Amino acid sequence: MRFSLFTLLFCPFIFAQTQYPKDEFRPPLDIPMQLSGNFGELRPNHFHAGFDLKTNQREGLNVYAVADGYVSRIKISTFGNGKCIYITHPNGYTSVYGHLQTTLGPIQDYVKKTHYKEQAFEIEIFLKPGDLPVTKGQLIGLSGNTGSSEGPHLHFEIRDSKTEFVINPMFFGYDKKIKDTKKPTISSLYVYPLDNTTVNQSKQPLLLNLSLQKDGTYLASKVKANGKIGFGITAVDFDDVSFNKNGVFNVSTFFNGSQNYNYQFNTYSFDEMRYINAFIDYEKYKKSGQRVQKLFMKTPFALSIIKTDSKNGIIPVEPNLASSYRIEVSDYYGNLSTVTVPVEFDAATPVVNAEPITSKYFIKYNKDANFEKDNMSVFFPAGTFYDDFNLNFDVKNNRIYIHTDIVPVHSNFTITIKDDSYPEAQRDKLFIGRISGNSVGYNGTTRKGDVFTAKSKTLGQFGLVLDTTPPTITIAKPIQDKWISDVKKIQFTINDASSGIKSYNGYLNGKWILFEYDNKTKKITHTFDDALLAEGANDLKIEVVDNVGNSATFETHFFRSQQK
């Protein structure tokens, strides 16, 4: 959604300061608080929604309810926050605990009961105030590494219970638990020529030199331009305890002394998360991995943390006027780094020209667009993109080429392929895949006759992919006809090389049993429960289905003694 009156709505630069409770929440761990990720940190396709708390590089640390309340939601997922608990508190806020190894006590009893009721590992439960009450300091789980976690830690959030907006946990007194006397680090500064402007005789973005001054501020090399320009920075923050690169809290810019752009990581909604791809220089990020935070908006977008002037942070460089541009970057504790950029008009002829445009098509971000060739087409609804741009589009060799992934996509676009060359028996085994080198990414595909349709949020090459190969199921130590009375857990590796796994189920003596799935290792694990086992002979069956319906079955027979 766009706001035509964006600059009127978000000016002047005043952030509403809510009075948050400072002393009601305890830490969720009983070890000193150390951050491996902070609120607002820049992540793939999203801003970080809370704290990542270190757990001494291991799993199994006690996790506690930070205040009285009730468990309002439990979500067990193979991605995202993995095993996650939500606790709603009487003060209007909800605390969130993610990547848990396991829940504990009455919560775990409720979770296990739901697993077997729904016969699924991935579950989501919404509870009422009287279902699972908790008290401050109650042990609710153990820290882990589940979901999309890249290492053992606890993900911790605080949300507004009514709006679901995430809020910086620093506001709730956790700033007292962390010492930070270090200024943010501004590692690079870029200037962007806009609307055919030339900057320092270049029509392409330039990296500016920074010189440290005696007063601790930085002075950038002079910018000489003849039109509209914008700036971008890479900046990180360090505290005194964790030594991790964290995100900065506040960035303000000033042109000739007047503030013209600002963002501060106080609170925002999940609906805004994907705007990170407009917030950064997405093309540079995809090409180099560097996240340059743009300090202007070429086209306004509705990210509530940004406040700007009528020019959206863009600087007009005019004749006969020497100007000064200043960037202030601070952390939550007020530690401040400053860069000053001298700016002046210069009509010099460019030495470095803009990259040539070779595309035949032009996209306007606020208009529907449809492109079709041969048997393939792509449809972009209005609002798919953040800015107007020149699109490369083609169809050849049974593939549809839709630009490259250097342009960010905000919402789904639709790919359609008509192909009657496959026999009817194979058509249900086809999907539209995103093809990158030798890898193929699955896209959920619908079919009507010989017409296939899929949606995507990533540009690139796409084509029909035939998958007739079933998934694989393997066990590291075979148990066929063996006595395994002392074995506590059994583990299998399940994999699918093409469309990916859609579902799996395990059965013990004909009854469904819980296998937990770890997407990172492709392993499923069952913890034996004596109540489910038979004395002596037991039959175990695993069934796995991929996204186009190919299935595989693994069956084994083992012996178990319940005698202690």
Side-chain angles (χ1 to χ4, degrees):
M1 180 179 179
R2 305 253 177 189
F3 292 90
S4 60
L5 298 178
F6 184 93
T7 56
L8 296 178
L9 291 171
F10 289 92
C11 196
F13 305 90
I14 298 174
F15 285 90
Q17 295 296 325
T18 302
Q19 295 300 313
Y20 298 104
K22 294 286 187 181
D23 302 310
E24 294 186 21
F25 291 157
R26 58 153 286 165
L29 300 170
D30 53 13
I31 61 172
M33 183 175 284
Q34 295 189 47
L35 298 179
S36 60
N38 69 337
F39 185 83
E41 186 175 312
L42 309 182
R43 299 286 179 89
N45 295 317
H46 71 287
F47 301 99
H48 194 224
F51 284 170
D52 282 345
L53 298 174
K54 291 188 176 185
T55 56
N56 295 333
Q57 299 181 334
R58 62 186 181 91
E59 299 183 42
L61 272 64
N62 290 342
V63 177
Y64 302 94
V66 297
D68 293 350
Y70 72 96
V71 177
S72 55
R73 182 183 176 195
I74 303 169
K75 187 173 183 179
I76 310 294
S77 174
T78 57
F79 296 97
N81 285 333
K83 296 181 180 181
C84 189
I85 296 173
Y86 301 72
I87 297 176
T88 296
H89 306 284
N91 58 10
Y93 301 101
T94 295
S95 55
V96 182
Y97 315 75
H99 305 310
L100 298 175
Q101 181 189 77
T102 185
T103 57
L104 291 175
I107 302 173
Q108 175 61 10
D109 293 340
Y110 202 107
V111 167
K112 185 175 181 180
K113 180 180 178 181
T114 305
H115 281 310
Y116 278 86
K117 179 182 178 181
E118 298 186 9
Q119 295 192 358
F121 170 60
E122 292 196 273
I123 57 174
E124 187 169 16
I125 311 166
F126 294 92
L127 300 101
K128 298 177 181 178
D131 292 338
L132 284 174
V134 296
T135 57
K136 184 175 183 177
Q138 180 176 326
L139 184 61
I140 59 172
L142 299 177
S143 67
N145 187 32
T146 56
S148 298
S149 171
E150 295 180 354
H153 71 279
L154 176 68
H155 175 79
F156 176 69
E157 295 176 20
I158 297 180
R159 302 183 183 182
D160 183 296
S161 299
K162 289 183 179 179
T163 66
E164 282 288 307
F165 275 49
V166 289
I167 306 167
N168 194 330
M170 287 292 193
F171 290 125
F172 294 84
Y174 291 113
D175 56 319
K176 300 174 184 176
K177 306 294 182 181
I178 301 167
K179 185 178 181 181
D180 183 357
T181 61
K182 298 179 180 180
K183 296 179 180 181
T185 300
I186 303 172
S187 53
S188 61
L189 170 65
Y190 289 86
V191 60
Y192 291 81
L194 307 173
D195 297 342
N196 204 34
T197 295
T198 298
V199 175
N200 294 357
Q201 294 188 280
S202 173
K203 288 186 175 293
Q204 296 186 26
L206 292 175
L207 177 65
L208 299 175
N209 291 325
L210 296 175
S211 300
L212 180 63
Q213 305 300 292
K214 291 182 179 180
D215 63 358
T217 66
Y218 286 87
L219 179 65
S221 54
K222 183 178 291 186
V223 169
K224 297 180 178 182
N226 56 15
K228 295 178 180 179
I229 61 174
F231 290 90
I233 59 169
T234 57
V236 295
D237 188 43
F238 297 86
D239 60 41
D240 297 356
V241 180
S242 303
F243 307 106
N244 285 83
K245 292 181 179 179
N246 293 319
V248 299
F249 176 63
N250 184 291
V251 176
S252 296
T253 67
F254 303 82
F255 184 56
N256 290 334
S258 297
Q259 191 172 16
N260 69 332
Y261 194 88
N262 173 259
Y263 58 84
Q264 182 167 296
F265 286 101
N266 290 351
T267 178
Y268 42 83
S269 74
F270 284 94
D271 291 340
E272 299 177 78
M273 290 293 194
R274 198 168 178 88
Y275 282 121
I276 189 174
N277 294 330
F279 180 80
I280 64 172
D281 182 340
Y282 186 81
E283 180 175 349
K284 181 172 286 294
Y285 167 62
K286 297 304 291 188
K287 289 180 176 179
S288 69
Q290 185 182 37
R291 291 187 177 97
V292 178
Q293 304 164 48
K294 294 188 294 185
L295 306 179
F296 66 95
M297 291 184 290
K298 189 175 180 180
T299 305
F301 53 92
L303 178 57
S304 63
I305 64 170
I306 296 176
K307 317 298 177 190
T308 183
D309 65 1
S310 60
K311 295 181 178 63
N312 302 311
I314 293 172
I315 306 301
V317 184
E318 300 171 345
N320 304 318
L321 180 64
S323 304
S324 178
Y325 181 79
R326 187 172 82 255
I327 306 167
E328 295 183 351
V329 181
S330 60
D331 59 24
Y332 183 85
Y333 297 85
N335 301 306
L336 178 68
S337 295
T338 301
V339 177
T340 300
V341 188
V343 179
E344 67 179 41
F345 183 85
D346 183 11
T349 302
V351 174
V352 180
N353 289 308
E355 292 186 3
I357 297 172
T358 58
S359 62
K360 302 177 183 178
Y361 308 96
F362 185 71
I363 291 281
K364 293 188 73 66
Y365 78 88
N366 59 351
K367 301 288 185 182
D368 290 352
N370 189 78
F371 301 95
E372 184 174 355
K373 182 179 178 182
D374 300 334
N375 62 325
M376 301 187 186
S377 67
V378 59
F379 172 68
F380 302 111
T384 301
F385 302 103
Y386 302 108
D387 292 303
D388 302 344
F389 73 101
N390 294 283
L391 173 78
N392 290 311
F393 168 80
D394 202 358
V395 172
K396 54 186 178 182
N397 300 324
N398 294 319
R399 291 188 185 179
I400 181 170
Y401 293 77
I402 311 170
H403 210 74
T404 57
D405 185 24
I406 59 171
V407 174
V409 178
H410 187 70
S411 54
N412 281 318
F413 59 90
T414 302
I415 303 161
T416 302
I417 300 176
K418 180 179 172 59
D419 193 326
D420 60 2
S421 63
Y422 291 89
E424 181 64 31
Q426 287 187 334
R427 290 182 185 177
D428 284 337
K429 304 298 182 184
L430 291 163
F431 66 92
I432 295 177
R434 183 176 181 273
I435 302 164
S436 179
N438 294 323
S439 66
V440 176
Y442 174 79
N443 290 281
T445 303
T446 58
R447 178 176 78 91
K448 289 185 178 180
D450 56 5
V451 177
F452 301 82
T453 303
K455 295 184 183 297
S456 178
K457 286 185 178 179
T458 307
L459 300 175
Q461 301 177 27
F462 299 84
L464 279 181
V465 179
L466 178 65
D467 179 9
T468 58
T469 305
T472 58
I473 309 170
T474 57
I475 184 171
K477 294 182 178 180
I479 59 172
Q480 180 67 31
D481 295 330
K482 294 182 178 180
W483 284 88
I484 57 168
S485 302
D486 295 329
V487 174
K488 296 180 179 180
K489 295 182 179 181
I490 190 167
Q491 193 172 77
F492 294 83
T493 300
I494 61 176
N495 196 23
D496 188 81
S498 186
S499 62
I501 291 169
K502 181 180 181 181
S503 65
Y504 69 91
N505 286 285
Y507 300 91
L508 183 64
N509 301 320
K511 294 183 179 180
W512 186 90
I513 56 172
L514 174 65
F515 274 89
E516 297 193 2
Y517 179 57
D518 181 0
N519 180 65
K520 294 186 286 290
T521 61
K522 310 298 181 186
K523 296 185 185 299
I524 57 173
T525 304
H526 173 69
T527 302
F528 283 120
D529 184 340
D530 289 347
L532 302 174
L533 289 158
E535 177 69 26
N538 287 267
D539 293 311
L540 179 66
K541 181 167 73 171
I542 310 292
E543 295 178 343
V544 182
V545 182
D546 67 18
N547 278 300
V548 295
N550 299 306
S551 63
T553 301
F554 180 101
E555 294 185 83
T556 191
H557 182 82
F558 65 91
F559 297 93
R560 182 97 174 184
S561 174
Q562 308 289 48
Q563 304 298 320
K564 301 297 182 182

